[in-house]
Amino acid sequence: MPAESRLRDARPDDLPALLALEAGFPGDRLSARQFRHHLANPRARLRVAVAGGRLLGYHLLLFRKGSAWARLYSIAVDPAARGQGLGRRLLADAGRQARAAGRTGLRLEVRQDNHAAAALYEAAGYRRTATLPAYYQDGTNGWRYEKGGQVHLPGRRAPG
């Protein structure tokens, strides 16, 4: 990852670069309409990684009202920027953004055939909590991962 790279909140003028990045991935892509919606949505946080004026990756977090969990809805890294720690950096930033929004945990879904992403999540301490049959548009199974969750105060009984 180039030293001058930085993470920042996405802006409407990032839309063409976000769409170009999405175009490089098979199926289940975010559309221009979806990106515009999330950019304006107070319950979403879209962050981008940029270097030299070039968008190299992004993550999109969603916050459901009344939930202790944030959802990592999407994360993507430009294939030319892979292997430089950007995915780890984006994932760590997603965790920080979730905590800053008052969430105690982060959940995400991943295609079972996306071995690189599953390895990234597991290396970052996420645990697989569910199998999701035919979860994706093309019928591919998914896995749910999570990290964090309920905070149990001393002297209080944990649920369950």
Side-chain angles (χ1 to χ4, degrees), residues 50-134:
V50 294
R54 185 166 166 243
L55 191 140
L56 300 175
Y58 78 88
H59 72 72
L60 172 60
L61 286 176
L62 301 179
F63 305 103
R64 194 172 72 204
K65 188 175 181 176
S67 176
W69 293 91
R71 180 176 178 212
L72 180 61
Y73 187 77
S74 186
I75 186 169
V77 174
D78 184 316
R82 290 193 185 145
Q84 301 175 40
L86 183 55
R88 283 189 308 274
R89 207 166 145 211
L90 285 164
L91 186 59
D93 184 68
R96 284 190 299 275
Q97 298 300 318
R99 286 187 299 280
R103 306 308 160 114
T104 61
L106 188 57
R107 287 186 174 139
L108 59 94
E109 297 82 30
V110 65
R111 294 172 62 97
Q112 284 186 4
D113 60 2
N114 190 342
H115 305 290
L120 170 70
Y121 303 137
E122 290 172 11
Y126 286 76
R127 60 187 171 88
R128 190 180 311 164
T129 60
T131 298
L132 308 168

Side-chain angles (χ1 to χ4, degrees), residues 6-20:
R6 64 186 181 97
L7 300 177
R8 63 165 171 78
D9 291 337
R11 305 182 298 239
D13 64 334
D14 292 320
L15 186 58
L18 287 164
L19 291 172

